Amino acid sequence: MKNKATKKQSFLAVKVKNNEPIRILYKKVGQAPEVKIISLWKLKKAIVRKKLDIIPYETLYIICHNKNKQKYLPINIVLDLSHVSGDFLLADIDKQAREFKGISQDDVIWYLRDLINKSFNNKKGCISPITGQRKCTNLPERSLDNSLNNINNFEERLLSILTSIELTLSNLLGRKNVKK
């Protein structure tokens, strides 16, 4: 019994001392996401001390403020049925080892584009990571009339309408938050 307990303690001690750097995506409100290299130990310490939430997102995980604190922060990205407020990190988790791991280069490219597309449309937001110029306007990206003329499939038409509604609602929410 002692042998098993000491093995577990030594395994935990090795996990705690694991201080290797990992690659993550960091997204500030109103800015383009950027790649950062951070210490695994600092990430774990911040999650515990600041009581951060870990939310599954596609194949990676969003590390953000908890729901109580998000109420008072500006919206960062709009997801399908929710949103994330305040700054956040995007990291990967190895489920078998139960440990954070860095994001691959392919994931970095895909998630950079995806997060830019899901950025909340505010006065500071929608900045291109390449040119540094503002790409978005206060109007939705596409008008309802022009996008529906070329679509013959019912499902694609429905998806286009729902996307336009979502963009309009996020635009209205952005105007409401700016007035406060």
Side-chain angles (χ1 to χ4, degrees):
M1 199 64 139
K2 280 186 176 182
N3 192 16
K4 191 175 184 180
T6 56
K7 280 184 182 179
K8 187 173 183 177
Q9 286 177 346
S10 65
F11 174 74
L12 292 175
V14 168
K15 265 186 125 172
V16 167
K17 290 180 183 177
N18 188 357
N19 197 17
E20 65 183 47
I22 61 169
R23 179 179 18 196
I24 58 147
L25 279 176
Y26 176 66
K27 174 126 178 32
K28 284 187 175 183
V29 176
Q31 295 182 5
E34 55 188 79
V35 177
K36 293 214 175 209
I37 307 293
I38 63 169
S39 162
L40 189 58
W41 171 247
K42 286 183 180 181
L43 176 63
K44 290 178 182 180
K45 195 162 76 171
I47 290 171
V48 173
R49 284 194 177 160
K50 296 180 181 183
K51 299 178 184 172
L52 301 177
D53 283 347
I54 301 174
I55 304 167
Y57 173 64
E58 302 290 334
T59 59
L60 301 179
Y61 295 86
I62 293 175
I63 302 167
C64 60
H65 298 284
N66 59 36
K67 290 289 183 189
N68 294 333
K69 192 166 183 181
Q70 280 192 25
K71 293 176 188 176
Y72 308 106
L73 297 172
I75 296 174
N76 196 338
I77 61 169
V78 178
L79 303 173
D80 292 335
L81 298 173
S82 64
H83 65 273
V84 176
S85 298
D87 301 346
F88 67 86
L89 305 172
L90 196 63
D92 198 3
I93 297 177
D94 183 5
K95 292 179 184 175
Q96 290 179 340
R98 299 185 77 182
E99 189 72 62
F100 287 100
K101 64 180 185 177
I103 302 173
S104 70
Q105 187 63 33
D106 293 335
D107 283 343
V108 167
I109 294 167
W110 192 87
Y111 282 100
L112 273 172
R113 289 184 186 147
D114 190 52
L115 290 174
I116 289 171
N117 289 337
K118 292 184 179 179
S119 290
F120 191 68
N121 191 8
N122 58 19
K123 297 207 180 231
K124 297 179 190 173
C126 301
I127 297 171
S128 167
I130 298 168
T131 62
Q133 297 177 346
R134 187 182 161 103
K135 290 177 20 177
C136 297
T137 64
N138 286 337
L139 301 173
E141 290 180 10
R142 54 184 153 173
S143 68
L144 199 56
D145 298 332
N146 294 339
S147 65
L148 293 178
N149 291 338
N150 300 329
I151 300 174
N152 296 328
N153 186 356
F154 172 75
E155 292 168 348
E156 290 178 7
R157 204 175 259 233
L158 180 64
L159 228 136
S160 177
I161 290 171
L162 290 174
T163 304
S164 295
I165 291 170
E166 184 180 23
L167 287 169
T168 304
L169 288 174
S170 66
N171 201 10
L172 290 172
L173 283 172
R175 290 184 187 148
K176 182 180 174 184
N177 287 342
V178 170
K179 291 178 184 176
K180 288 181 180 180

